[in-house]
Amino acid sequence: MGAGDDTDSLDQATRDFIAARPQLFGIAYRVLGSAVEAEDIVQETWLRWQNTNRADIQKPAAFLATVTARLAINFAQSARMRRESYVGPWLPEPVDTSTDPQVGAERAEALDLAVLFLLEKLNPVERAAYVLREAFDYPYKQIADILETSEANTRQLVSRARKHLSAERREPVSSDAHRRLLEVFLAAAQTGNLSVLEDVLTADVISYSDGGGVRGASRIPVVGRPHVSKYLAAFAPRFWPQADVRWVEANGRPAVLVSADGNAVALLSVDVSARGIERIMWVMNPAKLAPYVASLNN
């Protein structure tokens, strides 16, 4: 093989990788709940692809997806230990979905911040099986090959993940209904209006603040309508007067970016069912906010 053949081969490998890249990022992000970690996985996949004997690979996209999924599972297994020592509640890192609503997938499944948060409670193999089936519509046989298990076991993994999510989360409302309730909630939170807050929150609502130990976020979840509404009303006079709000999209849902003195301090998102607001998620960790804000400004 001459130098020209090597160049042609690498050019084709690059084209194959670029074509698959959105899907690779989408797989890794859903398994890890972190855009930064997902980018690292995609970069590692690229390095391995360059160093692979590609002559015998019939389906580059399938090969790349397999490498990405396995790397993400391995990374998630080590990340679990790190997250156990995380200060305060851990929330997924948000992504801007305004340009790619499905983030490289067949369907926008396993993308909502509330779903990613719940998927974190599954083991990484269950998570990957669910993501590959529900978001990317992979056949069970192909998922089994990726996970190096049987097709029957793969079906069980996906079934367990579905049951976990359905037990933990009520059916979400439409995007328009979601936005309307978030607007009412935001106005009530800004003014500390207890009666309106109590009206839109479910009885067992939970508020999570992910500051990563950096900001003065609550280090334990606030649980239940009375506690959450009083908590929001109490910090309203200190938090909101200096704040600017911007409506954005995060993970396929309307969200609110809160800034002070030109710097983002929180991304507010909610999980909404027909009953009302089930979860309130405040992403305040600067390491998670910075990449999201940068993507908005691109």
Side-chain angles (χ1 to χ4, degrees):
M1 183 183 278
D5 293 330
D6 287 344
T7 302
D8 290 346
S9 172
L10 190 57
D11 285 348
Q12 184 58 51
T14 303
R15 286 193 293 272
D16 289 337
F17 180 81
I18 290 171
R21 197 185 191 289
Q23 186 179 96
L24 306 182
F25 175 83
I27 291 170
Y29 172 69
R30 285 168 170 85
V31 173
L32 297 170
S34 165
V36 171
E37 291 171 359
E39 289 288 2
D40 289 343
I41 295 296
V42 171
Q43 185 61 28
E44 178 63 25
T45 301
W46 166 239
L47 294 174
R48 294 194 182 198
W49 179 233
Q50 286 178 285
N51 296 321
T52 295
N53 180 358
R54 298 180 295 274
D56 298 330
I57 295 171
Q58 303 291 318
K59 297 178 179 177
F63 176 87
L64 289 165
T66 298
V67 172
T68 298
R70 289 177 182 172
L71 285 171
I73 289 168
N74 290 340
F75 193 92
Q77 286 165 340
S78 62
R80 172 167 281 192
M81 286 165 44
R82 289 196 303 279
R83 284 172 191 169
E84 283 173 0
S85 60
Y86 192 82
V87 178
W90 177 93
L91 291 173
E93 181 188 329
V95 290
D96 176 20
T97 44
S98 58
T99 53
D100 181 3
Q102 298 172 320
V103 187
E106 295 288 318
R107 299 189 291 263
E109 295 297 318
L111 187 57
D112 191 302
L113 283 171
V115 173
L116 290 173
F117 174 68
L118 294 175
L119 284 178
E120 180 70 15
K121 298 179 183 180
L122 300 175
N123 73 53
V125 176
E126 285 175 330
R127 211 180 309 162
Y130 179 84
V131 163
L132 292 168
R133 180 64 187 169
E134 297 299 315
F136 295 89
D137 202 24
Y138 276 35
Y140 283 106
K141 176 69 171 70
Q142 189 177 353
I143 301 171
D145 290 344
I146 291 171
L147 301 181
E148 299 179 291
T149 187
S150 68
E151 190 172 339
N153 189 47
T154 299
R155 289 179 182 274
Q156 287 185 332
L157 291 170
V158 175
S159 177
R160 278 205 299 270
R162 284 176 181 152
K163 285 175 184 171
H164 171 75
L165 286 175
S166 63
E168 293 273 339
R169 188 180 189 226
R170 293 174 183 272
E171 187 70 25
V173 297
S174 71
S175 202
D176 287 344
H178 186 113
R179 164 106 188 200
R180 284 196 299 271
L181 201 59
L182 182 51
E183 285 174 345
V184 174
F185 169 80
L186 178 63
Q190 287 174 309
T191 57
N193 190 323
L194 266 175
S195 63
V196 175
L197 287 169
E198 289 173 350
D199 194 43
V200 298
L201 302 176
T202 59
D204 50 357
V205 63
I206 306 178
S207 176
Y208 300 94
S209 302
D210 178 345
V214 178
R215 287 216 167 97
S218 175
R219 295 192 176 188
I220 56 171
V222 185
V223 182
R225 182 188 289 140
H227 292 112
V228 173
S229 53
K230 286 173 185 170
Y231 168 74
L232 291 168
F235 79 66
R238 298 195 304 276
F239 185 72
W240 294 108
Q242 297 84 26
D244 297 310
V245 299
R246 172 184 173 187
W247 283 90
V248 292
E249 182 180 299
N251 296 64
R253 290 288 186 174
V256 176
L257 185 65
V258 184
S259 300
D261 300 322
N263 298 311
V265 294
L267 181 78
L268 163 65
S269 62
V270 292
D271 188 22
V272 184
S273 75
R275 301 193 314 162
I277 293 174
E278 305 273 357
R279 291 177 184 81
I280 306 165
M281 292 166 285
W282 305 86
V283 177
M284 304 177 78
N285 185 338
K288 294 182 180 183
L289 278 177
Y292 176 79
V293 174
S295 70
L296 290 178
N297 297 329
N298 282 344

